[in-house]
Amino acid sequence: MNGTESGTGGGAVADPVGADRLVGVVGAGTMGVGVAQCLAEAGHRVVVVDPSEEARSKGPRRLNDGLRTARLLRTRTKGAAPASPAASAPAPGKGPAADVAARISWVPHLSGLDGASFVIECGPERIPVKEAVFKELDAVCPADAVFASCTSAIPVAQLAAYTQRPDRVIGTHFMNPAYLKDAVEVIRGPRTASSTLDATLALLATMGKRGHVVRDAPGFVSNRILMPVVNDAAALLQAGTSDAGTVDKIFEECFGHAMGPLRTADLIGLDTVLDSLHVLLETTGDPRFEPCDLLVDLVRRGECGRKSGQGFYSYTSHGAHGAHGAYESHGSYESYGSRR
């Protein structure tokens, strides 16, 4: 076990690791499809739920793109130490893509998860949407199923309160792209049971991922630090202090970061960054989380980063270019995949 205190007791949790167990993913956006890919590559049967027909129709193509990219990048880094996947899990990227795709089903309704032992929610970072999803999951899923949220900032305790099983609710903050990241920020709520934490870490291990456990708080560790940095970097851009490329080069070449804050924001998705800042502002009341005008305007124009082809940088098949200079310029729910 990593990180924090030993947990509360709670009832036994169904083993989610066996290949005969069904794992649900809510949301067919970038993150949901990436998480589904990781699960299916590890041999799990997966059901992805999204009320948007468009998101579901794009899901298999996104999956194939992810499999192709993962294989290419893993081949380039062949020989690197593995992330200690469970012995029973197939090596990531080794099975035929058709076999991986065959393990994933795409459905429009949460009722399709009535047999799931573990559900990973990857919907929009908006509290009303997550409230509706968790309440319905609580009604349709088995009583011993675990609910994990890939929330970027919403406290786990708040999500758990929407269910009758707060001991079986946990945060699993995957980073994008999920299939290339070996670590996951795991958020233990105040009522999360030890058995829930153990089952979550075991499931992550089958995917070759390490779980770093932190206590519950708005934004946890990652985004409590990262979101204000991104917001401040965008504000400097807005003020004309620097262009995007120079901001990122200072972080990359002076501090040694692999990627600067604005490139990172484009990878995350500027809509997700904006939603996370709104959540942090609402849950903490701290004015430093008030989004700057440039970030708001980019999202309003649909310039959400890599996934839209334009954010702080422009993206083509030849890579990122044309960094911004000064500020010149999901059914009954919103689509679960709409932000990611």
Side-chain angles (χ1 to χ4, degrees), residues 209-256:
K209 298 187 185 299
R210 300 179 301 276
H212 297 301
V213 184
V214 302
R215 297 181 183 179
D216 196 22
F220 328 122
V221 170
S222 59
N223 282 336
R224 192 65 171 262
I225 297 170
L226 177 61
M227 290 299 116
V229 171
V230 170
N231 199 36
D232 285 347
L236 288 172
L237 195 63
Q238 175 179 318
T241 304
S242 175
D243 59 66
T246 302
V247 170
D248 283 339
K249 284 178 182 177
I250 288 171
F251 277 79
E252 293 161 6
E253 298 178 9
C254 297
F255 297 155

